[in-house]
């Protein structure tokens, strides 16, 4: 693939346009950021729990709520990604059956 092409190729030969790929990449970066934040929250929750200090244990209530909200956000992002991926693959499959150039899935022989 030449530099500047608007398509990215997956290992199975499927092509996806640059805009769709960029959207996926952005979503995966958001997910990774949330997961990194969750790791920090979990570490703090564990430290607070081990300390057995009442104020720290009270703080855990809010931290656990934040963790649960983050998990919901990750689930939502993955659901959106799945839907977007399915729609883009369907669009490329339709392009294949209609003979449209540029919207093509390369299938192995």
């Amino acid at each position: 693939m030449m530099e500047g092409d608007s398509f990215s190729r997956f290992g199975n030969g499927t092509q996806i346009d640059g805009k769709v790929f960029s959207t996926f990449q952005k979503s995966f970066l958001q997910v990774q950021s949330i997961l990194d934040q969750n790791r920090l929250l979990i570490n703090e929750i564990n430290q607070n729990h081990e300390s057995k200090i009442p104020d720290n244990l009270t703080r855990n209530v809010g931290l656990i709520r934040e963790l649960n909200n983050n998990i919901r956000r990750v689930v939502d992002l993955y659901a959106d990604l799945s839907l977007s991926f399915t729609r883009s693959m369907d669009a490329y499959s339709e392009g294949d059956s209609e003979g449209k150039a540029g919207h093509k899935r390369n299938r192995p022989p």
Side-chain angles (χ1 to χ4, degrees), residues 37-52:
Q37 183 181 6
N38 284 357
R39 184 180 321 106
L40 296 174
L41 286 169
I42 290 167
N43 287 339
E44 185 175 350
I45 290 166
N46 285 335
Q47 289 172 0
N48 289 345
H49 181 73
E50 289 170 4
S51 77
K52 296 185 169 91

Side-chain angles (χ1 to χ4, degrees), residues 1 7-10 12-17 88-108:
M1 189 141 305
F7 291 92
S8 295
R9 188 179 302 273
F10 290 107
N12 65 0
T14 301
Q15 289 183 352
I16 187 167
D17 80 39
S88 52
M89 288 299 105
D90 287 347
Y92 289 112
S93 292
E94 288 172 12
D96 227 9
S97 64
E98 296 171 13
K100 292 180 182 174
H103 293 283
K104 185 176 176 184
R105 282 181 73 175
N106 295 329
R107 292 189 179 97

Side-chain angles (χ1 to χ4, degrees), residues 41 44-45 48 59-68:
L41 286 169
E44 185 175 350
I45 290 166
N48 289 345
R59 177 165 164 67
N60 274 359
V61 173
L63 295 174
I64 291 169
R65 281 191 185 119
E66 185 178 349
L67 182 64
N68 285 333

Side-chain angles (χ1 to χ4, degrees), residues 52-76:
K52 296 185 169 91
I53 298 170
D55 286 343
N56 289 351
L57 295 174
T58 301
R59 177 165 164 67
N60 274 359
V61 173
L63 295 174
I64 291 169
R65 281 191 185 119
E66 185 178 349
L67 182 64
N68 285 333
N69 287 334
N70 285 352
I71 291 168
R72 275 190 277 280
R73 287 175 49 209
V74 168
V75 168
D76 290 344

